[in-house]
Amino acid sequence: MHAMVLNHAGSPLVWTEMPDRQPGLGEVRVQVLACGVCRTDLHVLDGELPHPKSPIIPGHEIVGRIDAVGADVTGLSIGERVGIPWLGHTCGTCPYCKAQRENLCDAPSFTGYTRDGGFATAVIADARFAFPLGQDGSDVSLAPLLCAGLIGWRSLKLALDLAGGGASGAKRLGIYGFGAAGHIVAQVARWQGREVFAFTRPGDTATQDFARRLGAVWAGGSDEMPPEPLDAAIIYATVGDLVPMALKAVRKGGRVVCAGIHMSDIPAFPYEILWEERQVLSVANLTRQDGIEFLALAPKIGIQVQTTRYPLVQANQALADLRAGRFEGAAVLVP
Ligand SMILES: [Zn+2]
Ligand SMILES: [Zn+2]
C-alpha cells in the first residue's frame, strides 16, 4: 500500500510505500476510493492536538471497499462499500459509553489522529465503526459526509435543543464559517424549514454568494450583525473572537455551539451578552447513532456536496488550499 505520511508535526506529508496490513480481530481492511480533507487534518499537521500517533496517516472522511475481513466481524462482507469516520474505536465500558455518549469515551481512538487514516490506498478499521454506504452516490461526494456531515449533524442537533423553545422553536440559524460542514448543514437546516444566516470571513463575497445560492436568507461578514436576532448559531471557524460575536447575535435563551476541535482563545466579554439564559457549549466527536441517523437522512434531503478533487499524491496542495480558503465546499483526495 501507499500513503501520505506525517512524520513530524509541521512537516509536509510524504508519499510512502508500506507493507500491506492484515485486519485483526474485529477489523476490516478497506481499499480507499476517496477521502475528504477536513480542518481537523490541519490541526493534526500543525501539532495542535495532544498525543497524536506518530508517524500518522491523516484522513478521517473515508469511502472505500472492504477487501479483507478479520475474525469475529459480523454484518460486513468483502466487496461492500463503507464509510469510515473520525471516531475509530470506543471502549464500550466507560461511564460515557454506557450512557450512550460514546463521543466522550475515556479511551477512544480517532481515525487519522490516534490511528492511521485514509490519506492512503488502504486502511484498517474497527468493523463496528464502518458504516455501510450502499450503492447510491459517488465516492467523492459521499466522503465529506463522514465528518463535515456527521459532526455538522451533531452540532445542528445540539444547536436546536434550545432550553424552553425545543427544536421546532428554532427558526433562525446562524452558521459562522461556511466551508465543508457549513454548506452541508445549511442544506439540512433549509430542508427542515429553518432560515440560514451565513457568516464568512469579512470581505469574502465569493463564499457569501455561494451561501445564498444554497438558500441562505442572509450572508455577510462575521464582523456584521444579522438583520434579526438568531435563535441559535454554530461556529465552524476556529476563531475564538467569534464566540462573543455570535452571543451578541442570538436572542434571549439562544444557544451558541462551537463545533471545532480546536479554537484560538476566546476574548473576555461582558457578562450581559451571556445573560438572559444564553448558552455556549462545544460539540465533541460523534456517536455511531449520529452516523446512522445522518447517513439515512442525507439522500432524502438530496444534499449537494461541493467538492474539489485532488489526486492522493497532491494531499499537501489540498491542505494548503484549505488553509488559504481557495475553494468552496470540501476537498477530496482520490488514490
Ligand atoms: Zn473532520
Ligand atoms: Zn468508553
Side-chain angles (χ1 to χ4, degrees), residues 38 40 60-61 147-148:
C38 173
T40 299
H60 57 270
E61 298 181 313
C147 179

Side-chain angles (χ1 to χ4, degrees), residues 2-298:
H2 286 83
M4 293 296 286
V5 177
L6 178 69
N7 291 304
H8 308 282
S11 64
L13 305 182
V14 180
W15 179 249
T16 307
E17 184 171 7
M18 349 177 84
D20 283 339
R21 300 175 199 182
Q22 297 303 319
L25 193 70
E27 293 180 330
V28 289
R29 187 175 67 200
V30 173
Q31 295 299 315
V32 178
L33 301 167
C35 186
V37 180
C38 173
R39 190 157 291 277
T40 299
D41 297 317
L42 292 179
H43 298 314
V44 171
L45 245 68
D46 295 345
E48 289 172 323
L49 305 182
H51 315 302
K53 174 181 176 291
S54 185
I56 180 76
I57 303 169
H60 57 270
E61 298 181 313
I62 306 167
V63 173
R65 208 169 282 287
I66 296 173
D67 81 332
V69 176
D72 264 5
V73 171
T74 52
L76 291 175
S77 46
I78 288 176
E80 194 163 1
R81 187 170 68 159
V82 291
I84 298 161
W86 167 249
L87 188 64
H89 175 82
T90 53
C91 75
T93 56
C94 76
Y96 297 101
C97 282
K98 284 184 170 166
Q100 280 77 53
R101 302 182 76 189
E102 65 180 356
N103 60 307
L104 301 177
C105 176
D106 283 333
S109 70
F110 297 110
T111 312
Y113 167 33
T114 60
R115 60 186 292 147
D116 282 332
F119 290 5
T121 55
V123 62
I124 301 285
D126 181 328
R128 299 172 307 144
F129 292 82
F131 298 112
L133 290 178
Q135 303 300 323
D136 295 338
S138 77
D139 305 325
V140 168
S141 63
L142 286 171
L145 299 185
L146 271 302
C147 179
L150 296 193
I151 307 268
W153 172 244
R154 185 173 181 83
S155 60
L156 181 63
K157 285 199 298 184
L158 282 191
L160 299 177
D161 185 20
L162 295 171
S168 58
K171 180 81 177 159
R172 291 189 284 268
L173 176 72
I175 294 179
Y176 286 78
F178 205 82
H183 94 290
I184 292 171
V185 167
Q187 296 176 62
V188 179
R190 262 203 75 205
W191 180 80
Q192 292 175 329
R194 305 179 204 287
E195 293 178 353
V196 171
F197 296 73
F199 298 79
T200 71
R201 298 181 207 204
D204 185 358
T205 54
T207 304
Q208 290 164 18
D209 290 341
F210 176 55
R212 283 188 208 96
R213 284 201 301 280
L214 288 177
V217 295
W218 179 91
S222 57
D223 54 345
E224 295 176 49
M225 277 292 124
E228 300 159 278
L230 306 173
D231 296 312
I234 309 174
I235 303 177
Y236 294 111
T238 57
V239 183
D241 302 73
L242 294 176
V243 173
M245 295 299 292
L247 271 174
K248 286 179 197 167
V250 298
R251 63 160 169 80
K252 289 183 280 188
R255 199 172 244 208
V256 174
V257 175
C258 303
I261 192 170
H262 180 83
M263 201 180 224
S264 58
D265 286 353
I266 300 169
F269 55 83
Y271 177 64
E272 67 182 79
I273 66 174
L274 183 63
W275 169 240
E276 295 170 321
E277 301 193 349
R278 291 177 182 86
Q279 301 174 349
V280 179
L281 67 163
S282 66
V283 59
N285 313 316
L286 66 137
T287 64
R288 278 170 284 179
Q289 185 57 34
D290 295 327
I292 290 162
E293 285 170 14
F294 179 72
L295 292 171
L297 197 59

